[in-house]
Structures are given as C-alpha cells and as structure tokens.
Amino acid sequence: MHASITAAYLARYRKAAADSPAELLPLTGAQRRFLITRRLAPQTRSDVVPLFFAYPRGTLDERRLARAAAAVAARHPALCGGFATVRGTPVLRTGGPSAEAARIAVAPGGTAREALRAALLDWPVDGPALRLLFAREPDGDEELLALALDHAACDEQSLGVLTAELSQAYEADEPPAAGPAPQALADYRQAVELQLAAEDAAGGPAAQAHWGRRLGGLTGAGGGAATATGMLTERLPAAEGAARSAVFPALLDAVGAAAHRLHREAGPLALGYPWGGRPPGAPAALGCFLNTLVHPAGPADPAGPAGTGDLDALADAWWDDLDHAGTPFDEVVRAARTAGAPWSGALDAMLTLEDLHRRPPLVLGGTPGRETHLAGRPLAAPLAVSASHGDDLLVRLAWDSDRFPEADALAAFDDLLAVLRHHLHAHV
C-alpha cells in the first residue's frame, strides 16, 4: 500500500519544525498547493481572493481603515504569519508581514476599477496575507474598496468572520495587539492537525478506487491558470423549495455545457469545485480548509431538453463524490492517472457557489458596502463560473480572453443559462 501524500508531508514538517516548533505551524493540503503553485508560476496570482465593495464618496477613513486591518490581522496566525518553505517543506511561520491598507491613486483618464485591478495584479508574492485597497472615482460619487486575501489564509467561512471583525474593528477604532494570543496559535495548530488527520484518513484504497472509476476517462483539454480574462453576468430568481437543493448539480451540468462549447472536446473535462469546512471539533481558525473536488463533465445530450443532461443521475453521482470529499486533490489526481487518465491535474473549468446569507455585510462608518465585481483578475482555470445565492442568484462567467474569442464565450454563457434555467424550472 502506498504512503499517503499527507503522511509524507507530516513527516517532512516534523523534521523541518524540530528546531523551532513554536515558530513553524503546519499547513492543510489546500494551503500547500497554493504555496507550491505560486513558487512554480508566481505571475498567475490566481490564489488571491478579492471582495469588492462600493461606498458613497467620503465614507472611508484611510487611517482608521489601516488600524482596523492591523487589529484584525493581529488576532489570526494565518493573517499575520508568513507562508514559507523551510527545507523544501511548506509551513506557516509566525510573525510575517503585517496587514496593509492603502489608497490607490487613479491615473489620469483611468477609473477606480482599473486602479484596483492593477494593484491586485501587482500583489507581491511574499506580501501580507490581508490587504485593503481603496480608490476614489475622480469624477464620480463612489469609492471602491478591495478586501483582498491570500487564498491560503481564507475560505468562505473565513470571509464571514473577516467581514464581521473588520466592521467591529473599524467601529471601535482600537489599537491592534502585538500579535495573536497563545490560544489563537493553539487553535490554528489544532484545526490544521485535525484537518490533516482527516485528509490522511480520506486517501485510502476505497477513495482511490472511487476516484479512479469516476475520473479514469478524463481527457482534459489542456487547462491551467489564465491571466487575461473577460466577464459576463446574469441575475436569476433565487431558488426556493425543492429547486434550492438542485442549484449545485444544475450548475455542474450548466458549467459542463459551457466548458464543452469553449473547449470543443468530446471527452469528459475536469471541472473543479471547492468543498468542505472545518473537521468536527476543530476551532474556528482562519485559513483554507477546503478541498478541490473534480467532476468529469461530459458533453451534453443533444436529445435532452435544451441540450441538458439527466440531472437526477448527475446528482446521484455527485452525492457519491461527496462521500469521498475529503480525499486530497493530489491523491485524486494520482487515482485518475493510475486508472489510465492522460490528465495532468490541470482544471478545464472551475465552479464556486457562495451563500451570501452566511456572510455579514462589511459596514464601515455605519454604511454597508454594496458588493460589486471586477473583470480582469487572474483565474485558476481557463473558464471560471461563480454564483452567489442571496436575494437572487448572481451568475458570473469569466474566461481566458487570450484563448477563447468573445463570441465563443457569449455562446457558452447562453448555453450555461439555458441549462440552468431548465433545471431550476423543472425542480420548482
């Protein structure tokens, strides 16, 4: 029986941390992948998670914003530590770069959106894990705030904690502590160690066999990160009742249809999506505790309604996948390749679904920010679809504009929306 990738990492980590166990903290599988990827391709920066908020002009106080960012970062090891490689082993080193909050100048003839986009593309590889960047429209009545995080320091649960704590810190305007309390360091270590134990247990023979069966037929269209992107958006009515449980499998089918329109591949494509959360009993430490699952997106059945697939069969297969959702991504790739898939592990498309009811608004100066979105940020795959489920279902498609013409992206988005509308209407 092969040794698990997680067990091998733990052995290397213990050797690297032997001389300074208090200074070096372990990383989850997702955190390690982000760190390794940026070392191999630092120019992509698809591992930065930005949230964008618009406020009435004059709302934001630059110095107060900087103090609030520093105060929040000082509480959390993942925000005030530094992700590093020690003896070839990815770790979190306590005492990294502090949070940064700064106003970004808008060049003559430019816009606040362009200024923030350029600043995020210039994010330093070894910079702080939390940055708050804002810019004012030269001739407008709004100012934009980018709350940007190193993805290794956050997941969806972390974002909710962060917006709540930033709102409170901005209101209280208290000076930051010198660093995380000993209990915060202990909580982070315990949460990661529980996550690693779960990842190690989820990589056994049964999981290898499952993922080999599911992904052994992957062909892959040659995915990978994208740096030049366009964006299309559409708002659909929020799903209620029985349709709400159909949203994610419907999105899987819809994104699969869009991916096949763009990639023009007949075989199954690798559609990745984040899933997971803290292990049972784990403290609510900030960090990335998600796993990337892979769905083999087959071509749509042209005989089906609106070109759609069998959603019930897809949902059943997806539920089976969730029984093995803890299998680390690297183990999934190994299982697929062992089963004969000529797949490098690069994703052809990426899907994320965010439940906005779980994230409090970012309230600064008594004013809730209006969340907005910017095109042009780097992507982890040539096609990325993100959906936000709140008062409505906001669907955004971003694509590699160097690889796919805009006309093809428009046709793919039409396919995606047609499939999604069909499924959600059928399950009302």
Side-chain angles (χ1 to χ4, degrees):
M1 178 178 175
H2 70 267
S4 78
I5 293 170
T6 304
Y9 166 73
L10 280 169
R12 294 196 307 271
Y13 163 74
R14 290 178 183 123
K15 288 182 180 179
D19 297 332
S20 50
E23 179 188 355
L24 302 181
L25 299 172
L27 300 181
T28 68
Q31 290 174 312
R32 299 198 306 274
R33 287 197 303 280
F34 288 130
L35 193 60
I36 291 169
T37 299
R38 77 184 56 165
R39 297 300 177 190
L40 295 175
Q43 73 280 3
T44 63
R45 296 328 323 248
S46 60
D47 56 352
V48 173
V49 179
L51 299 177
F52 300 100
F53 300 94
Y55 293 88
R57 188 179 181 88
T59 299
L60 302 179
D61 181 321
E62 181 177 342
R63 292 186 177 87
R64 191 170 188 139
L65 198 58
R67 289 192 293 271
V72 172
R75 303 171 192 167
H76 301 285
L79 295 182
C80 65
F83 295 100
T85 302
V86 176
R87 300 178 188 173
T89 303
V91 296
L92 176 66
R93 188 192 299 274
T94 57
S98 60
E100 177 182 321
R103 180 177 173 182
I104 304 300
V106 179
T111 67
R113 290 173 179 267
E114 292 168 346
L116 290 180
R117 185 185 301 113
L120 290 172
L121 290 173
D122 195 38
W123 182 295
V125 172
D126 296 318
L130 170 64
R131 300 180 74 189
L132 274 67
L133 309 173
F134 73 98
R136 294 190 174 107
E137 294 289 1
D139 302 317
D141 56 2
E142 282 190 333
E143 47 197 14
L144 296 181
L145 172 67
L147 190 164
L149 292 119
D150 186 328
H151 205 336
C154 77
D155 50 20
E156 184 179 356
Q157 182 174 328
S158 300
L159 292 176
V161 172
L162 188 64
T163 54
E165 290 193 2
L166 271 172
S167 298
Q168 295 164 3
Y170 192 90
E171 177 68 22
D173 196 23
E174 297 176 354
Q183 186 60 51
L185 292 167
D187 285 349
Y188 174 87
R189 183 186 295 276
Q190 181 186 5
V192 173
E193 288 178 346
L194 286 172
Q195 176 73 14
L196 290 173
E199 291 177 5
D200 189 30
Q208 289 282 316
H210 171 82
W211 291 115
R213 288 192 303 271
R214 283 284 282 151
L215 306 180
L218 278 181
T219 55
T227 55
T229 62
M231 180 180 286
L232 298 166
T233 64
E234 183 70 22
R235 289 186 181 274
L236 303 177
E240 303 291 346
R244 190 171 182 86
S245 64
V247 168
F248 200 84
L251 281 166
L252 286 175
D253 198 29
V255 177
H260 277 276
R261 165 75 76 162
L262 286 176
H263 288 293
R264 304 182 187 277
E265 292 288 321
L269 298 174
L271 196 174
Y273 59 96
W275 202 264
R278 299 336 182 246
L286 263 63
C288 190
F289 292 82
L290 298 176
N291 193 23
T292 299
L293 274 64
V294 182
H295 171 71
D301 179 5
T308 60
D310 182 342
L311 189 64
D312 289 336
L314 186 154
D316 287 343
W318 173 60
W319 279 109
D320 288 343
D321 289 347
L322 294 187
D323 287 339
H324 302 279
T327 308
F329 180 78
D330 292 339
E331 295 282 11
V332 170
V333 175
R334 177 155 65 176
R337 293 183 64 83
T338 300
W343 177 47
S344 67
L347 297 171
D348 301 306
M350 191 76 188
L351 167 65
T352 58
L353 175 62
E354 179 184 27
D355 185 351
L356 295 180
H357 295 104
R358 299 173 60 184
R359 174 153 54 84
L362 182 60
V363 180
L364 301 178
T367 303
R370 175 178 59 82
E371 190 163 353
T372 184
H373 304 277
L374 270 67
R377 55 176 290 245
L379 303 174
L383 167 67
V385 174
S386 53
S388 302
H389 205 181
D391 294 333
D392 55 18
L393 182 64
L394 174 62
V395 182
R396 302 179 298 280
L397 179 147
W399 74 95
D400 184 346
S401 56
D402 284 342
R403 181 169 181 173
F404 305 124
E406 184 176 1
D408 289 356
L410 287 167
F413 196 46
D414 286 343
D415 286 354
L416 184 151
L417 294 175
V419 173
L420 192 55
R421 286 188 175 108
H422 167 79
H423 286 318
L424 295 183
H425 177 76
H427 282 74
V428 171

